[in-house]
Amino acid sequence: SVKLSTSGSADLDWYLYHEANTSTYLARGYTANNPEQGSYNATQVGTYYVRVVGYSGATGSYTLNISGAGVSP
């Protein structure tokens, strides 16, 4: 699960990727809510990347919490 909280009124979104250099995301939090929350059930083992994007002159700070469970074969 992913949770992105921001201070102030900045509009921030998050995008989850399996590869660092791709434009195809697996999940996203893109509403005007604060915090932005979502989840994804990973189907592949490996490294995942989260990108945070700010809109409308976003300033201030944010907190990104990512949690999950690993599965061993």
Side-chain angles (χ1 to χ4, degrees):
S1 68
V2 178
K3 180 179 178 182
L4 173 63
S5 303
T6 182
S7 64
S9 60
D11 182 15
L12 300 179
D13 298 339
W14 60 265
Y15 297 84
L16 176 70
Y17 300 89
H18 190 252
E19 298 178 19
N21 298 316
T22 183
S23 61
T24 305
Y25 58 84
L26 302 170
R28 66 182 176 167
Y30 62 98
T31 66
N33 295 336
N34 184 18
E36 291 279 2
Q37 299 184 75
S39 62
Y40 176 75
N41 286 326
T43 57
Q44 298 178 5
V45 174
T47 302
Y48 288 80
Y49 302 86
V50 175
R51 181 177 69 164
V52 175
V53 178
Y55 299 95
S56 303
T59 60
S61 62
Y62 66 86
T63 303
L64 180 66
N65 293 308
I66 302 171
S67 61
V71 178
S72 299

